[in-house]
């Protein structure tokens, strides 16, 4: 079971049910505008046999944490350095994809892309990383899942060192067996 709710529209609260054949695995009410977030529900039946979730893999940004403020501030910092203007809505659409793609979409010249990415990472590592918040109820949900014997993991396109620092910052590292992310060279 992989939980990644970044694909939800940013408009009014939406409900997403994760289905297992014959029953509901979980339900999440989510909204980028601050609606209650959480995971509820029971594992259902699969072909008459009780199905048991053994592993849950979470995305980090937009699923466990609301990192939008730090990401936008980091983009804004880089855009000021390279003297490119962008509207907030343009930046918000770039949250998630690889940084080099985002800067290219904003018009950063190809010969400045590496510099833009490095400038972003330096700013983010000192400032943007901490302009972030854990969604309400996440610690309780992780504790409940862990107590039920479910193995928890994080998979993110964010650099793995940043993912570990964020998990440590919020005191939730111990819930996860593994946190995987991009390496320094950008490979996953």
């Amino acid at each position: 079971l992989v939980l990644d709710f970044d694909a939800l529209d940013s408009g009014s609260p939406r409900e997403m049910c994760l289905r297992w054949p014959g029953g509901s695995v979980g339900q999440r009410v989510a909204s980028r505008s601050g609606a209650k977030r959480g995971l509820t529900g029971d594992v259902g039946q699969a072909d008459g046999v009780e199905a048991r979730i053994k592993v849950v893999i979470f995305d980090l940004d937009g699923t466990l944490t609301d990192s939008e403020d730090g990401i936008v501030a980091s983009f804004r910092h880089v855009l000021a350095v390279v003297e490119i203007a962008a509207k907030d809505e343009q930046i918000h659409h770039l949250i998630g994809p690889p940084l080099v793609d985002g800067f290219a979409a904003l018009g950063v010249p190809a010969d400045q892309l590496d510099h833009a990415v490095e400038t972003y990472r330096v700013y983010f590592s000192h400032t943007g990383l901490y302009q972030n918040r854990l969604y309400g109820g996440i610690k309780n949900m992780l504790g409940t899942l862990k107590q039920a014997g479910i193995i928890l993991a994080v998979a993110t396109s964010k650099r793995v060192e940043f993912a570990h620092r964020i998990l440590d910052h919020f005191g939730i590292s111990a819930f996860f067996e593994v946190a995987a992310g991009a390496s320094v060279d950008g490979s996953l």
Side-chain angles (χ1 to χ4, degrees):
L1 177 63
V2 178
L3 300 180
D4 178 355
F5 303 111
D6 285 334
L8 292 175
D9 291 340
S10 60
S12 62
R14 292 185 50 194
E15 187 174 279
M16 182 168 122
C17 292
L18 304 172
R19 297 276 179 205
W20 200 284
S24 174
V25 174
Q27 182 176 12
R28 179 185 173 87
V29 178
S31 167
R32 293 200 189 275
S33 61
K36 182 179 178 185
R37 293 176 172 269
L39 176 70
T40 61
D42 297 318
V43 175
Q45 300 286 324
D47 298 326
V49 178
E50 185 173 319
R52 171 133 167 72
I53 296 172
K54 295 179 182 176
V55 177
V56 177
I57 303 171
F58 293 90
D59 186 20
L60 183 59
D61 296 326
T63 302
L64 297 173
T65 68
D66 182 354
S67 55
E68 185 173 333
D69 291 345
I71 292 170
V72 170
S74 299
F75 266 102
R76 284 258 170 248
H77 172 75
V78 173
L79 293 174
V81 169
V82 297
E83 299 178 339
I84 292 179
K87 296 179 181 178
D88 283 346
E89 66 186 42
Q90 291 174 291
I91 295 171
H92 290 281
H93 289 295
L94 301 175
I95 296 174
L99 293 172
V100 69
D101 296 342
F103 287 121
L106 291 171
V108 174
D111 64 341
Q112 292 184 25
L113 287 173
D114 289 340
H115 174 67
V117 169
E118 185 56 31
T119 302
Y120 177 99
R121 288 181 175 153
V122 169
Y123 181 89
F124 185 82
S125 72
H126 296 291
T127 305
L129 182 86
Y130 303 108
Q131 294 171 314
N132 195 344
R133 68 180 179 84
L134 198 61
Y135 286 119
I138 292 294
K139 279 188 181 181
N140 289 338
M141 177 191 63
L142 295 172
T144 299
L145 293 171
K146 187 80 168 173
Q147 191 172 32
I150 296 171
I151 297 168
L152 305 178
V154 171
T156 180
S157 63
K158 184 180 293 308
R159 282 180 49 176
V160 70
E161 68 188 72
F162 293 158
H164 284 285
R165 286 175 55 197
I166 291 167
L167 296 173
D168 290 342
H169 175 71
F170 290 115
I172 59 174
S173 293
F175 291 113
F176 300 100
E177 296 296 319
V178 66
S183 64
V184 175
D185 68 2
S187 63
L188 292 176

